[in-house]
Amino acid sequence: MSALVTPSAGGVPDRADAVAVAGESVSREDLFGAAAALADKIAGSPAVAVRATASLGTVVATLAGLTAGVPVVPVPPDSGPVERTHILGDSGAALLLEPGGPGAWDDITLPVVPVDTAARAASSYPEPAPDSTAFVLYTSGTTGAPKGVLLSRGALAADLDALADAWAWTPDDVLVHGLPLFHVHGLVLGVLGALRTGARLVHTGRPTPEAYAKAGGSLYFGVPTVWSRVAEDPAAAAALAGARLLVSGSAPLPVPVFDRLAALTGHAPVERYGMTETLITVSTRADGERRPGFVGLPLDGVETRLAGEDGAAVPYDGETVGELQVRGATLFAGYLDRPDATAEALTSDGWFRTGDVATVGPDGWHRIVGRASTDLIKSGGYRVGAGEVEGALLAHDAVREAAVVGVPHDDLGQEIVAFVVADGVTGPELADFVARSLSVHKRPRRVLLVDALPRNAMGKVQKKQLRA
């Protein structure tokens, strides 16, 4: 395997605006020089956390960790104290890299290293082994505290190369997106993908239709919420007609949004599927068919299969639903310090249980039906664990019971709705309480106060009744 990222990727001439984030531009040479200067300060650390704002500083901090061979732990900048305390403590991060800007944390006990995007160094470091950890990314906490997902350099390289092949991604592309830089879509695909292929990167700061329209890209990444808003702005959508590819992921793209985008831009979107633990595993191709509601075919080097509840193979008839399981070079190396959880996530013959249910047609085309459980909510491109939000609500003294569900929403895909049994408190007060503890995007859009929660004979909350 070649180096994960290099200053001269793609062999194209450097340019002053090779990487632009929220209006701040830098050449590849200067970007790697700034990363080397920071790498000199963090080399030898067991891991470093990054307050992962939408900034050039976050890109420099991430690249510094990769350069020095130090695992990087991106932390959502809007995370509440409970969430970030868990991530910082569980990950074993020795330092917090601070890009600066609004929202800096004042309750951190770790040593803080400011990120200087103007610093330069010519230091060089050996390329770490492919099986060494590049990132520790934290899950949504669906069934408890978030778990640290160990992603190796080899898995990242295998996935990005497979995507470059599927999407015909080359140094001639200009990648545009405005996605958060603390998960796979925005950081791995949206930053490392551009750096590895040699494409120019334009991060818009916020993913507004206006910003996308002005960026002049050939390749655009977005979540369904972004594409829904673009589809509601005909002028912005028309400005994307000159692009080569529109890619949607992180949640299913509603068919009406797919159709409207295709009509307004002339481009049927490419949809893809993946998870933090697997990276991207299934996608439609730049040179292939795109079907609304389908995510396409496995990438090169990835195998998939469907399993029934009894573990038996499910027929590929396009109708029969089974749990989607995957294996290949893109898989994670396990959950940090959680061998029990790692073993539970894998079958006896080494396939990863995604927890998603799907159908596969005779032609191999995949359609994701939903979660095997009901506790993962996909809202605005974020994956939010109902259990984590419920735990935050139950921490309020007035709350006796809480159940959280995802309800279909035209813009967000799903909105977070909480059903709460409580006394002496209002719904908005409880929503604000959650936002002070967890990331703002995990705040319930609606909190409904009820006298009791519906339960079965075993005492389990019947969330289907709540959703109805």
Side-chain angles (χ1 to χ4, degrees), residues 217-242:
S218 62
L219 177 61
Y220 285 81
F221 291 169
V223 298
T225 300
V226 172
W227 294 126
S228 174
R229 293 171 182 171
V230 169
E232 292 172 356
D233 187 333
L240 304 186

Side-chain angles (χ1 to χ4, degrees), residues 5 32 35-36 39 60 62-70 123-128 153:
V5 289
F32 278 78
V60 170
T62 300
L63 188 55
L66 296 176
T67 298
V70 176
S123 310
S124 61
Y125 293 82
E127 177 69 14
R153 301 174 78 94

Side-chain angles (χ1 to χ4, degrees), residues 222-468:
V223 298
T225 300
V226 172
W227 294 126
S228 174
R229 293 171 182 171
V230 169
E232 292 172 356
D233 187 333
L240 304 186
R244 185 178 64 78
L245 215 60
L246 311 181
V247 180
S248 182
S250 297
L253 184 66
V255 172
V257 177
F258 181 104
D259 292 340
R260 185 160 175 78
L261 269 181
L264 291 172
T265 67
H267 300 291
V270 161
E271 295 189 68
R272 88 298 185 283
Y273 167 81
M275 300 178 65
T276 304
E277 292 92 336
T278 67
L279 300 176
I280 308 307
T281 52
V282 182
S283 180
T284 51
R285 296 181 59 91
D287 58 357
E289 182 185 359
R290 296 106 190 247
R291 303 177 192 171
F294 288 79
V295 292
L297 302 164
L299 295 176
D300 286 348
V302 173
E303 296 177 272
T304 65
R305 71 182 184 187
L306 295 182
E309 293 184 3
D310 59 357
V314 168
Y316 284 12
D317 56 11
E319 298 293 335
T320 307
V321 171
E323 182 193 38
L324 182 62
Q325 300 177 355
V326 303
R327 70 178 179 184
T330 70
L331 286 191
F332 73 142
Y335 296 112
L336 178 64
D337 296 329
R338 291 291 306 276
D340 55 334
T342 302
E344 186 178 350
L346 299 172
T347 65
S348 59
D349 54 350
W351 293 70
F352 178 76
R353 309 176 192 269
T354 67
D356 284 318
V357 291
T359 65
V360 179
D363 56 2
W365 272 69
H366 290 52
R367 179 170 63 90
I368 306 300
V369 176
R371 289 296 290 174
S373 68
T374 60
D375 288 328
L376 186 67
I377 302 168
K378 296 182 177 180
S379 181
Y382 295 101
R383 299 165 70 89
V384 179
E388 189 179 13
V389 182
E390 289 162 359
L393 286 165
L394 290 168
H396 194 288
D397 291 341
V399 174
R400 299 199 303 274
E401 295 181 86
V404 172
V405 299
V407 175
H409 188 278
D410 289 342
D411 186 29
L412 298 172
Q414 288 182 307
E415 66 174 348
I416 302 170
V417 178
F419 293 81
V420 177
V421 180
D423 298 309
V425 67
T426 67
E429 288 171 343
L430 289 175
D432 289 342
F433 180 79
V434 172
R436 291 194 297 271
S437 177
L438 304 178
S439 300
V440 174
H441 65 259
K442 297 177 181 178
R443 170 183 179 155
R445 289 276 177 142
R446 288 187 283 162
V447 177
L448 306 179
L449 299 175
V450 296
D451 293 330
L453 300 177
R455 296 179 182 274
N456 64 14
M458 300 297 293
K460 183 177 176 62
V461 176
Q462 299 296 283
K463 291 193 173 183
K464 288 184 178 180
Q465 294 184 32
L466 294 176
R467 191 174 289 107

Side-chain angles (χ1 to χ4, degrees), residues 69-143:
V70 176
V72 176
V73 186
V75 185
D78 66 348
S79 60
V82 174
E83 182 181 9
R84 64 173 172 260
T85 297
H86 168 73
I87 293 174
L88 295 176
D90 185 74
S91 67
L95 302 168
L96 174 68
L97 308 187
E98 173 54 64
W105 301 321
D106 56 9
D107 59 348
I108 298 300
T109 58
L110 285 179
V112 177
V113 178
V115 179
D116 183 0
T117 59
R120 301 289 182 265
S123 310
S124 61
Y125 293 82
E127 177 69 14
D131 61 355
S132 63
T133 299
F135 290 113
V136 184
L137 295 181
Y138 276 78
T139 64
S140 59
T142 304
T143 56

